[in-house]
Amino acid sequence: MLILRHNTLPSEDLFVIERRMIKVADPSYKVKDLAHFTVLDKSRAELYGYLLGFMERLGLCESIGVTPSEFLDFLVDIDHGYLPNAYHSFYHAVDVAIVLYHMVCDYDVASYISRIDIAALLIAGLCHDIGHPGKNNNYQVNLKTDLALRYSNKSVLESYSCTLTMDLLTKHKLLKRLESASSSLGLPTSEPEMRTMIIKMILATDMIFHYELQENLANLLEIILEERTIKEERSNPHPSSLHKPVLPSTTEEDEEDNNNDDDDMKQKQEEEEEEEEEEKEAAAAAAAADEVTEDSNQAINSSAEEDSRLKDIFSSQGAKSAISYFRRKSYFEEDMIPLNLKTIPVFPSSPEELKDDDEEDEEEEDEEEDEGDGEEGNDEEGGTRNNSNKKTAIAPEVHHSSGIDLITTTIRENGVDKTVFTPPNYIMEPQQRLILCQIVLHAADISNALRPWHICLSWSNLVCEEFFLQGDAEKSKGLKVSPNMDRCQVSQTTIGLQFGDFVVSPYFEIFAALFPKADELLKTLTENRSQWIKLEEEINDKKDREDQEENQRLPSSMLPDRPIINPSGRRVSVAAGMIVIPDELEERTVGSGKYKRKYWGVRSVSHSDISSVRDQQHRDRSEVVRRRKSEEPNFVMTRKLRMTPMSPRRSSREKKSSTLPAISQK
């Protein structure tokens, strides 16, 4: 049963959420792939249920020490933090989180990061645009808004989202049991470290870091490919490498060998035999340990080289760094690991929390005492406890559908059993995993162009709606309109094609090289490009037809009965009315001497020419009308009567009476 502390939801919604969560969390449930899943047609209750189901399916709630109810409470507040924008809404946040889930599970991203990393990644994905006002950083900086001033024009909206996210983490105390929960996975992580990860992931979604992330992605690919090559060579050594060539000895070396005493030779042989025996014993004792830690040692030995290739985009300690705001706010420790958050409370507690703090602390102390009693019992069964009353990290045998559990191995060292934890891949350094998480989050954030056409177009419509609203706002405030935001200057097809060709395609070409299963996304991108081109051609055809309609003379209904110059061209409106700009003009000369002037007139057309042509056309039409009338019976009889001579003595009544019978007889 789901119970909320800070929020309220209708019982019907809670029922829908819980039912969906249980269904999705079931390992037998088949999750729809990205080609068949969209968030735009689902209710908020359904989205809550999907997100909770994915969290449970990956074991992430357990990993960070929260219950589904606690995470749902946190999720509802995230939803409330998003504004009703066309694009940057809660639906966009959920869509990014869903894409992240598929990248982790379907594209093998989970092979390189731990469950703690994935939990931070999904939280960052859900919160990366929280508080977005629908107007981008360029608008905030140009208008000199309060947000721009607060964050010194550096990653304004991303920094604001980080602040709101930290507030919510503090309000819900979501990470208060993180350290103990993560220790059970062999990767003990403190709350400050988790906050650091989330902040640096969200800040990296600023598009100004796009090319730096792309370079990190390319360098990470090289590092991983090199490591794979080394592993392949170790597992399948080349036959020639098994027999090293022996160089022939020189004359000097032969003389030195001959001068050696027999006693020295025997002594060396004995020493070599002893060393070989010791090496065999040591190798047999540490064989298991070497197999488990081989990859980790390789990563540690080459860490300096890897650090030089992978760039921390927030390594700058200067005031121009986007992270500097959070450092000034005492979010980070001084003179420690870079960007490690302080453990002191960052945000003030709410009044409700202040009332409940003492009670919660007492409850936590009781829980710790109970855990301590349980741990003592475990000691008797072979478990160990350290001086700080914390259990030694022992990974539980719980396997989730993502395949992201650590590899747990027990080795014997100096007569003592030792538990060793290693991730499923050689990347062990937290900095490397963080950079990969930044890369993946940015990939999910720009993935709309890679979705099936109907989903891609739906998101594009929302993007353009928000873009053009910002352009209208910039015009109204006298600002320069941001690129691609003037509805009168750019089309949706242009935006879609440029975004896909120059931003998405290069990034995901490298992404698919690192994660080959993501190659299907590039195929969809190619299909969508064809759709954009087809749509652009349809728009251009429509525009051509409209131009052809405009390229004509003035309507005949507006012209006088007499002939008038009415050239063919483009009709335009001016202050005095509508006029045609002729398609063809020619330079003419009038006057002579000092009165001579030149002007542009309609090519090969004069008023007299037009008048003669119109007069001839008028005569032709009149002749046709007369011929048609001459064929009518009434017209023939009337004409005969009119040609008959009349006596001047007849009255008008007689003339009328003589005419009507003739017509009636006929």
Short mmCIF file of all heavy atoms in Angstrom, two decimals, residues 264-308:
data_model
loop_
_atom_site.label_atom_id
_atom_site.label_comp_id
_atom_site.label_asym_id
_atom_site.label_seq_id
_atom_site.Cartn_x
_atom_site.Cartn_y
_atom_site.Cartn_z
N ASP A 264 79.93 -20.02 -8.42
CA ASP A 264 78.93 -18.97 -8.66
C ASP A 264 77.77 -19.51 -9.48
O ASP A 264 76.61 -19.18 -9.24
CB ASP A 264 79.58 -17.79 -9.38
CG ASP A 264 80.62 -17.10 -8.51
OD1 ASP A 264 80.52 -17.25 -7.27
OD2 ASP A 264 81.49 -16.41 -9.08
N MET A 265 78.08 -20.34 -10.43
CA MET A 265 77.03 -20.90 -11.26
C MET A 265 76.09 -21.76 -10.44
O MET A 265 74.86 -21.70 -10.59
CB MET A 265 77.66 -21.73 -12.39
CG MET A 265 78.44 -20.91 -13.41
SD MET A 265 77.37 -19.85 -14.39
CE MET A 265 76.44 -21.08 -15.27
N LYS A 266 76.65 -22.60 -9.58
CA LYS A 266 75.82 -23.45 -8.73
C LYS A 266 74.94 -22.62 -7.80
O LYS A 266 73.77 -22.91 -7.57
CB LYS A 266 76.70 -24.40 -7.92
CG LYS A 266 77.41 -25.44 -8.77
CD LYS A 266 78.27 -26.34 -7.90
CE LYS A 266 79.00 -27.39 -8.75
NZ LYS A 266 79.87 -28.28 -7.92
N GLN A 267 75.53 -21.54 -7.24
CA GLN A 267 74.79 -20.70 -6.31
C GLN A 267 73.61 -20.02 -7.01
O GLN A 267 72.51 -19.93 -6.48
CB GLN A 267 75.74 -19.65 -5.71
CG GLN A 267 75.06 -18.78 -4.66
CD GLN A 267 76.05 -17.80 -4.04
OE1 GLN A 267 77.24 -17.81 -4.38
NE2 GLN A 267 75.54 -16.98 -3.14
N LYS A 268 73.86 -19.59 -8.23
CA LYS A 268 72.78 -18.94 -8.99
C LYS A 268 71.67 -19.93 -9.31
O LYS A 268 70.49 -19.61 -9.24
CB LYS A 268 73.34 -18.36 -10.28
CG LYS A 268 74.21 -17.14 -10.08
CD LYS A 268 74.70 -16.58 -11.42
CE LYS A 268 75.56 -15.35 -11.21
NZ LYS A 268 76.06 -14.79 -12.49
N GLN A 269 72.05 -21.13 -9.66
CA GLN A 269 71.04 -22.14 -9.97
C GLN A 269 70.18 -22.44 -8.75
O GLN A 269 68.95 -22.57 -8.84
CB GLN A 269 71.73 -23.42 -10.47
CG GLN A 269 72.36 -23.26 -11.85
CD GLN A 269 73.07 -24.52 -12.30
OE1 GLN A 269 73.17 -25.50 -11.56
NE2 GLN A 269 73.61 -24.47 -13.52
N GLU A 270 70.83 -22.55 -7.58
CA GLU A 270 70.07 -22.81 -6.36
C GLU A 270 69.11 -21.66 -6.06
O GLU A 270 67.96 -21.87 -5.66
CB GLU A 270 71.04 -23.03 -5.19
CG GLU A 270 71.84 -24.32 -5.30
CD GLU A 270 72.86 -24.45 -4.19
OE1 GLU A 270 72.97 -23.49 -3.39
OE2 GLU A 270 73.54 -25.50 -4.13
N GLU A 271 69.62 -20.43 -6.21
CA GLU A 271 68.76 -19.28 -5.94
C GLU A 271 67.57 -19.24 -6.90
O GLU A 271 66.44 -18.93 -6.52
CB GLU A 271 69.58 -17.99 -6.06
CG GLU A 271 70.60 -17.82 -4.95
CD GLU A 271 71.44 -16.58 -5.16
OE1 GLU A 271 71.26 -15.92 -6.22
OE2 GLU A 271 72.26 -16.25 -4.27
N GLU A 272 67.83 -19.56 -8.16
CA GLU A 272 66.74 -19.54 -9.14
C GLU A 272 65.70 -20.60 -8.82
O GLU A 272 64.49 -20.38 -8.95
CB GLU A 272 67.31 -19.77 -10.54
CG GLU A 272 68.12 -18.59 -11.07
CD GLU A 272 68.74 -18.88 -12.42
OE1 GLU A 272 68.59 -20.04 -12.89
OE2 GLU A 272 69.36 -17.97 -12.98
N GLU A 273 66.17 -21.78 -8.37
CA GLU A 273 65.22 -22.84 -8.03
C GLU A 273 64.36 -22.43 -6.84
O GLU A 273 63.15 -22.68 -6.81
CB GLU A 273 66.00 -24.13 -7.72
CG GLU A 273 66.65 -24.75 -8.96
CD GLU A 273 67.48 -25.96 -8.60
OE1 GLU A 273 67.60 -26.27 -7.39
OE2 GLU A 273 68.01 -26.59 -9.53
N GLU A 274 64.97 -21.79 -5.85
CA GLU A 274 64.22 -21.33 -4.68
C GLU A 274 63.19 -20.27 -5.08
O GLU A 274 62.04 -20.28 -4.61
CB GLU A 274 65.18 -20.78 -3.62
CG GLU A 274 66.06 -21.84 -2.99
CD GLU A 274 67.04 -21.25 -2.01
OE1 GLU A 274 67.03 -19.99 -1.87
OE2 GLU A 274 67.80 -21.99 -1.38
N GLU A 275 63.60 -19.35 -5.94
CA GLU A 275 62.68 -18.30 -6.37
C GLU A 275 61.51 -18.88 -7.16
O GLU A 275 60.36 -18.45 -7.01
CB GLU A 275 63.42 -17.28 -7.23
CG GLU A 275 64.41 -16.43 -6.43
CD GLU A 275 65.19 -15.48 -7.32
OE1 GLU A 275 64.96 -15.52 -8.55
OE2 GLU A 275 65.97 -14.70 -6.78
N GLU A 276 61.79 -19.88 -7.98
CA GLU A 276 60.72 -20.50 -8.75
C GLU A 276 59.71 -21.19 -7.85
O GLU A 276 58.50 -21.11 -8.05
CB GLU A 276 61.32 -21.52 -9.74
CG GLU A 276 62.07 -20.86 -10.89
CD GLU A 276 62.68 -21.89 -11.82
OE1 GLU A 276 62.54 -23.10 -11.53
OE2 GLU A 276 63.29 -21.47 -12.83
N GLU A 277 60.22 -21.88 -6.80
CA GLU A 277 59.31 -22.54 -5.87
C GLU A 277 58.43 -21.52 -5.14
O GLU A 277 57.24 -21.72 -4.95
CB GLU A 277 60.12 -23.37 -4.88
CG GLU A 277 60.80 -24.59 -5.51
CD GLU A 277 61.62 -25.36 -4.52
OE1 GLU A 277 61.69 -24.91 -3.35
OE2 GLU A 277 62.20 -26.39 -4.90
N GLU A 278 59.05 -20.40 -4.71
CA GLU A 278 58.29 -19.37 -4.01
C GLU A 278 57.23 -18.74 -4.92
O GLU A 278 56.11 -18.46 -4.50
CB GLU A 278 59.24 -18.29 -3.48
CG GLU A 278 60.15 -18.79 -2.37
CD GLU A 278 61.13 -17.71 -1.94
OE1 GLU A 278 61.11 -16.62 -2.57
OE2 GLU A 278 61.89 -17.95 -0.99
N GLU A 279 57.62 -18.52 -6.17
CA GLU A 279 56.67 -17.94 -7.11
C GLU A 279 55.49 -18.87 -7.37
O GLU A 279 54.34 -18.44 -7.48
CB GLU A 279 57.38 -17.61 -8.44
CG GLU A 279 58.33 -16.45 -8.33
CD GLU A 279 59.08 -16.20 -9.63
OE1 GLU A 279 58.85 -17.00 -10.58
OE2 GLU A 279 59.86 -15.25 -9.70
N LYS A 280 55.76 -20.18 -7.46
CA LYS A 280 54.69 -21.13 -7.67
C LYS A 280 53.71 -21.13 -6.50
O LYS A 280 52.50 -21.16 -6.66
CB LYS A 280 55.26 -22.53 -7.88
CG LYS A 280 55.99 -22.69 -9.21
CD LYS A 280 56.54 -24.11 -9.35
CE LYS A 280 57.27 -24.27 -10.68
NZ LYS A 280 57.83 -25.64 -10.83
N GLU A 281 54.26 -21.10 -5.29
CA GLU A 281 53.40 -21.10 -4.11
C GLU A 281 52.55 -19.81 -4.05
O GLU A 281 51.36 -19.84 -3.75
CB GLU A 281 54.25 -21.22 -2.85
CG GLU A 281 54.94 -22.58 -2.72
CD GLU A 281 55.84 -22.65 -1.51
OE1 GLU A 281 55.95 -21.60 -0.81
OE2 GLU A 281 56.44 -23.70 -1.25
N ALA A 282 53.22 -18.68 -4.32
CA ALA A 282 52.48 -17.41 -4.27
C ALA A 282 51.42 -17.34 -5.37
O ALA A 282 50.31 -16.84 -5.16
CB ALA A 282 53.45 -16.24 -4.43
N ALA A 283 51.76 -17.88 -6.54
CA ALA A 283 50.80 -17.85 -7.64
C ALA A 283 49.60 -18.72 -7.34
O ALA A 283 48.45 -18.35 -7.64
CB ALA A 283 51.48 -18.31 -8.93
N ALA A 284 49.82 -19.86 -6.71
CA ALA A 284 48.70 -20.75 -6.38
C ALA A 284 47.80 -20.12 -5.33
O ALA A 284 46.58 -20.27 -5.37
CB ALA A 284 49.24 -22.09 -5.89
N ALA A 285 48.39 -19.39 -4.37
CA ALA A 285 47.59 -18.79 -3.30
C ALA A 285 46.79 -17.60 -3.78
O ALA A 285 45.71 -17.31 -3.27
CB ALA A 285 48.52 -18.37 -2.15
N ALA A 286 47.34 -16.86 -4.76
CA ALA A 286 46.68 -15.61 -5.18
C ALA A 286 46.05 -15.71 -6.55
O ALA A 286 45.74 -14.70 -7.17
CB ALA A 286 47.70 -14.47 -5.18
N ALA A 287 45.84 -16.93 -7.04
CA ALA A 287 45.28 -17.08 -8.40
C ALA A 287 43.89 -16.48 -8.49
O ALA A 287 43.56 -15.75 -9.43
CB ALA A 287 45.25 -18.55 -8.78
N ALA A 288 43.05 -16.79 -7.49
CA ALA A 288 41.68 -16.26 -7.52
C ALA A 288 41.66 -14.75 -7.42
O ALA A 288 40.91 -14.06 -8.12
CB ALA A 288 40.86 -16.87 -6.38
N ALA A 289 42.52 -14.23 -6.53
CA ALA A 289 42.55 -12.77 -6.37
C ALA A 289 43.01 -12.08 -7.63
O ALA A 289 42.50 -11.02 -8.01
CB ALA A 289 43.47 -12.40 -5.20
N ASP A 290 43.97 -12.67 -8.31
CA ASP A 290 44.47 -12.06 -9.55
C ASP A 290 43.40 -12.03 -10.62
O ASP A 290 43.26 -11.07 -11.37
CB ASP A 290 45.69 -12.82 -10.06
CG ASP A 290 46.90 -12.64 -9.16
OD1 ASP A 290 46.88 -11.66 -8.39
OD2 ASP A 290 47.82 -13.47 -9.22
N GLU A 291 42.62 -13.11 -10.70
CA GLU A 291 41.57 -13.17 -11.72
C GLU A 291 40.51 -12.12 -11.47
O GLU A 291 39.97 -11.51 -12.39
CB GLU A 291 40.94 -14.56 -11.74
CG GLU A 291 41.90 -15.64 -12.24
CD GLU A 291 41.26 -17.01 -12.19
OE1 GLU A 291 40.10 -17.09 -11.73
OE2 GLU A 291 41.91 -17.99 -12.58
N VAL A 292 40.18 -11.90 -10.19
CA VAL A 292 39.10 -10.97 -9.87
C VAL A 292 39.52 -9.53 -10.04
O VAL A 292 38.80 -8.69 -10.55
CB VAL A 292 38.60 -11.21 -8.43
CG1 VAL A 292 37.61 -10.14 -8.02
CG2 VAL A 292 37.97 -12.59 -8.33
N THR A 293 40.76 -9.23 -9.59
CA THR A 293 41.19 -7.83 -9.54
C THR A 293 42.03 -7.42 -10.73
O THR A 293 42.56 -6.31 -10.76
CB THR A 293 42.00 -7.58 -8.26
OG1 THR A 293 43.14 -8.45 -8.27
CG2 THR A 293 41.16 -7.88 -7.03
N GLU A 294 42.18 -8.28 -11.70
CA GLU A 294 43.05 -7.97 -12.85
C GLU A 294 42.57 -6.73 -13.58
O GLU A 294 43.35 -5.83 -13.88
CB GLU A 294 43.08 -9.16 -13.80
CG GLU A 294 43.99 -8.95 -15.00
CD GLU A 294 44.01 -10.17 -15.90
OE1 GLU A 294 43.34 -11.16 -15.55
OE2 GLU A 294 44.68 -10.11 -16.93
N ASP A 295 41.27 -6.69 -13.87
CA ASP A 295 40.74 -5.54 -14.60
C ASP A 295 40.83 -4.27 -13.77
O ASP A 295 41.10 -3.20 -14.29
CB ASP A 295 39.28 -5.81 -14.99
CG ASP A 295 39.19 -6.93 -16.00
OD1 ASP A 295 40.21 -7.20 -16.66
OD2 ASP A 295 38.10 -7.53 -16.10
N SER A 296 40.57 -4.38 -12.46
CA SER A 296 40.63 -3.20 -11.61
C SER A 296 42.04 -2.65 -11.56
O SER A 296 42.26 -1.44 -11.62
CB SER A 296 40.15 -3.55 -10.20
OG SER A 296 38.83 -4.02 -10.24
N ASN A 297 43.04 -3.55 -11.43
CA ASN A 297 44.42 -3.09 -11.40
C ASN A 297 44.82 -2.43 -12.70
O ASN A 297 45.55 -1.44 -12.71
CB ASN A 297 45.35 -4.27 -11.11
CG ASN A 297 45.18 -4.80 -9.71
OD1 ASN A 297 44.77 -4.07 -8.81
ND2 ASN A 297 45.49 -6.09 -9.50
N GLN A 298 44.32 -2.97 -13.79
CA GLN A 298 44.61 -2.37 -15.09
C GLN A 298 44.07 -0.95 -15.16
O GLN A 298 44.72 -0.04 -15.68
CB GLN A 298 44.00 -3.22 -16.21
CG GLN A 298 44.21 -2.64 -17.60
CD GLN A 298 45.67 -2.66 -17.99
OE1 GLN A 298 46.45 -3.46 -17.49
NE2 GLN A 298 46.05 -1.77 -18.89
N ALA A 299 42.84 -0.77 -14.61
CA ALA A 299 42.25 0.57 -14.63
C ALA A 299 43.03 1.53 -13.75
O ALA A 299 43.25 2.69 -14.10
CB ALA A 299 40.80 0.50 -14.18
N ILE A 300 43.48 1.03 -12.59
CA ILE A 300 44.22 1.91 -11.67
C ILE A 300 45.56 2.29 -12.27
O ILE A 300 46.00 3.43 -12.19
CB ILE A 300 44.39 1.20 -10.31
CG1 ILE A 300 43.01 1.01 -9.67
CG2 ILE A 300 45.31 1.98 -9.41
CD1 ILE A 300 43.06 0.17 -8.41
N ASN A 301 46.25 1.30 -12.88
CA ASN A 301 47.57 1.57 -13.45
C ASN A 301 47.51 2.56 -14.60
O ASN A 301 48.46 3.27 -14.88
CB ASN A 301 48.21 0.27 -13.92
CG ASN A 301 48.53 -0.65 -12.76
OD1 ASN A 301 48.74 -0.20 -11.64
ND2 ASN A 301 48.57 -1.97 -13.03
N SER A 302 46.38 2.55 -15.32
CA SER A 302 46.27 3.44 -16.47
C SER A 302 45.38 4.64 -16.19
O SER A 302 44.94 5.31 -17.10
CB SER A 302 45.70 2.67 -17.67
OG SER A 302 44.42 2.17 -17.35
N SER A 303 45.11 4.91 -14.90
CA SER A 303 44.19 6.00 -14.57
C SER A 303 44.73 7.35 -15.01
O SER A 303 43.97 8.22 -15.42
CB SER A 303 43.92 6.00 -13.06
OG SER A 303 45.13 6.19 -12.35
N ALA A 304 46.05 7.52 -14.89
CA ALA A 304 46.61 8.81 -15.27
C ALA A 304 46.39 9.09 -16.74
O ALA A 304 46.02 10.19 -17.15
CB ALA A 304 48.10 8.85 -14.95
N GLU A 305 46.59 8.04 -17.56
CA GLU A 305 46.40 8.22 -19.00
C GLU A 305 44.93 8.49 -19.31
O GLU A 305 44.61 9.34 -20.14
CB GLU A 305 46.87 6.96 -19.73
CG GLU A 305 46.70 7.04 -21.24
CD GLU A 305 47.07 5.74 -21.93
OE1 GLU A 305 47.52 4.82 -21.22
OE2 GLU A 305 46.91 5.67 -23.15
N GLU A 306 44.01 7.78 -18.66
CA GLU A 306 42.59 7.95 -18.93
C GLU A 306 42.11 9.33 -18.49
O GLU A 306 41.31 9.96 -19.16
CB GLU A 306 41.80 6.86 -18.20
CG GLU A 306 42.07 5.48 -18.78
CD GLU A 306 41.50 4.38 -17.91
OE1 GLU A 306 40.95 4.70 -16.84
OE2 GLU A 306 41.59 3.22 -18.29
N ASP A 307 42.63 9.79 -17.32
CA ASP A 307 42.21 11.10 -16.84
C ASP A 307 42.64 12.19 -17.81
O ASP A 307 41.98 13.22 -17.91
CB ASP A 307 42.81 11.35 -15.46
CG ASP A 307 42.16 10.47 -14.39
OD1 ASP A 307 41.07 9.94 -14.66
OD2 ASP A 307 42.76 10.32 -13.32
N SER A 308 43.76 11.98 -18.51
CA SER A 308 44.21 12.99 -19.44
C SER A 308 43.33 13.05 -20.68
O SER A 308 43.25 14.08 -21.34
CB SER A 308 45.66 12.71 -19.85
OG SER A 308 45.75 11.48 -20.54
#
